[in-house]
Amino acid sequence: MQLVGYGDPPRFELREVPDPEPGPGEVVVALRTAALNRRDPWIWTSPGYCELPVTLGSDGAGTVVAIGEGVVSTRPGDEVVIFPTLGWPEGAEVPGPDFDILGAPTPGTFADRVLVPATSVAPRPSRLSWEESGALPLAGLTAWRALFTCGRVTEGSKVLVTGAGSGVSTFLVQLAAQAGAEVFVTTGNPAKAARSLEIGASAAFFYTEADWPEEVTHRAGPLDVVVDSFGDGSLAAGLALLRRGGVLVSFGDTGGASASIEIAEVYWQWRSIVGTSMGSPAEFRALLAHTESASWRPIVDSVFALDELAGAAERLSSTARFGKVVLTM
Ligand SMILES: NC(=O)c1ccc[n+]([C@@H]2O[C@H](COP(=O)([O-])OP(=O)(O)OC[C@H]3O[C@@H](n4cnc5c(N)ncnc54)[C@H](OP(=O)(O)O)[C@@H]3O)[C@@H](O)[C@H]2O)c1
C-alpha cells in the first residue's frame, strides 16, 4: 500500500511490486500485522520528504520467509517482530550518523512483505496476538527507554505521563505500573481518564483545566519523573512538578516546535531534561524479554485491513482514539 501523493488526506494506492530478495545478512518477513505511528502522518504531510511512491510503516509482525547468505540468527518459519530502529550499533549509547527509522525512504511494513537486516527481527512474544505484536515495537521501545534508561523508574517512583491517550503513552502507563511505580496522567477527556485508570494509572487530571498542575501537586506531591511528548505548556508545567533532582523525559513535540521554561526550574532544583528517540538493540531485547513474562497487553484501539489504510489514517488523528491503530495483511 504505497504513498503516491503527499497531503492531508494523503493518497495511497494498492500496488503490485516484485517480492523483495534477501541479500547477505538480510531477511524477508511475510507480514501478518503492522501499526501506524505519528511519524507516518508527519511524513505524508511533508512534501519532498522522499521520492514517491514509497511504502510507509515502521511497525510489523510476521513470519520469516527467506534469509540471505550468512544469516544464522533466524530461519524461515520463525514468527518475529520487527525492530524499527536503523543505524543504532550494538552497544552504542546513542545511534550513529546512519540513524533512521524503517519505512520511508526504506520500504516499510504497510505491505505483504518487507526486507530488513537479520538484526532487525526478534522472536515475537508468544503470549501476544498478532495484532498486539504488530502494535508493540516502535511505541513500546520508545516508552521502555524513556522510563527505564532515561527516567530510571523503579518500584515506588512517582511518574507523570502527559497526554495519556497516545500510542506511546499507553505503553508508558502499563510499563511504569508493572514496574511498581505510582503513575499519574493528564488527558483530554473523561473516557480516556477512565481507560488510563483501568490500565494502571492511580489518578488522571484534565489538561483542559487550567489548575491541573496544582491538582497534581495536591494529589501526588513532588514527582520523580515526568514523561512528555506534547511540549508547549505541558513541558514547562511538568518540569515544575518534579522534586529536586527529578527527571523530565522529552520524546515529542505534538504541541509545537518550541516551548519556554524557567531556567532556574532546572539548575536551582538540580533537575534534568533528557531527550530520547526510539531505542537501542539491547533495549529492544529487554522490552521483549519483559513482555514475554509480564501481564499487560498492548492496547489496540482499532484494526483495519491493509487496503483500508486511508480509514486507519483518519482514525489515527481522531481525538477519540486510545492506543494503537493496527493493519492486518
Ligand atoms: N521520539 C520518538 O522516538 C518518538 C516515538 C513515538 C512518538 N513520538 C512523538 O511522540 C508524540 C506522541 O506520539 P503518539 O503517536 O504516541 O501520539 P498520538 O497518539 O498522536 O497522541 C497525541 C497526544 O497529544 C496529547 N495532547 C493533546 N493536547 C495535549 C495537551 N494540551 N497537553 C498534553 N498532551 C496533549 C493527547 O492526549 P490525550 O489523547 O490523552 O488527550 C495525545 O496523547 C508525537 O509528537 C510523536 O511524534 C516520538
Side-chain angles (χ1 to χ4, degrees), residues 257-274:
S258 57
S260 294
I261 58 161
E262 297 281 332
I263 297 167
E265 291 283 3
V266 181
Y267 73 84
W268 202 240
Q269 296 295 335
W270 295 268
R271 293 171 179 143
S272 316
I273 300 178
V274 183

Side-chain angles (χ1 to χ4, degrees), residues 96-301:
D98 299 335
F99 172 75
D100 205 349
I101 300 173
L102 180 71
T106 48
T109 56
F110 299 168
D112 283 322
R113 294 186 179 211
V114 68
L115 175 75
V116 289
T119 48
S120 297
V121 299
R124 79 179 181 98
S126 56
R127 71 182 185 87
L128 300 188
S129 68
W130 280 108
E131 287 78 6
E132 291 164 341
S133 300
L136 175 70
L138 190 150
L141 175 63
T142 304
W144 180 271
R145 179 177 166 83
L147 287 171
F148 303 118
T149 307
C150 303
R152 299 189 297 277
V153 167
T154 56
E155 191 172 1
S157 297
K158 287 185 185 180
V159 180
L160 174 70
V161 177
T162 59
S166 88
V168 179
S169 297
T170 50
F171 288 100
L172 287 167
V173 171
Q174 292 176 299
L175 287 170
Q178 189 100 68
E182 196 178 356
V183 188
F184 305 96
V185 299
T186 66
T187 188
N189 71 52
K192 290 193 213 179
R195 294 292 306 278
S196 303
L197 300 183
E198 278 168 23
I199 65 170
S202 299
F205 305 89
F206 296 109
Y207 55 67
T208 44
E209 291 173 8
D211 65 345
W212 72 262
E214 290 78 24
E215 292 288 323
V216 173
T217 300
H218 182 67
R219 167 70 173 76
L223 303 168
D224 298 297
V225 179
V226 173
V227 188
D228 181 74
S229 64
F230 191 74
D232 197 18
S234 74
L235 187 138
L239 183 66
L241 291 172
L242 289 168
R243 65 166 167 80
R244 285 186 168 175
V247 182
L248 185 137
V249 184
S250 163
F251 71 93
D253 56 3
T254 314
S258 57
S260 294
I261 58 161
E262 297 281 332
I263 297 167
E265 291 283 3
V266 181
Y267 73 84
W268 202 240
Q269 296 295 335
W270 295 268
R271 293 171 179 143
S272 316
I273 300 178
V274 183
T276 187
S277 284
M278 308 293 289
S280 68
E283 286 160 336
F284 192 59
R285 287 193 295 272
L287 167 70
L288 294 181
H290 160 83
T291 305
E292 191 63 75
S293 60
S295 58
W296 62 272
R297 314 185 78 86
I299 305 294
V300 175
D301 169 85

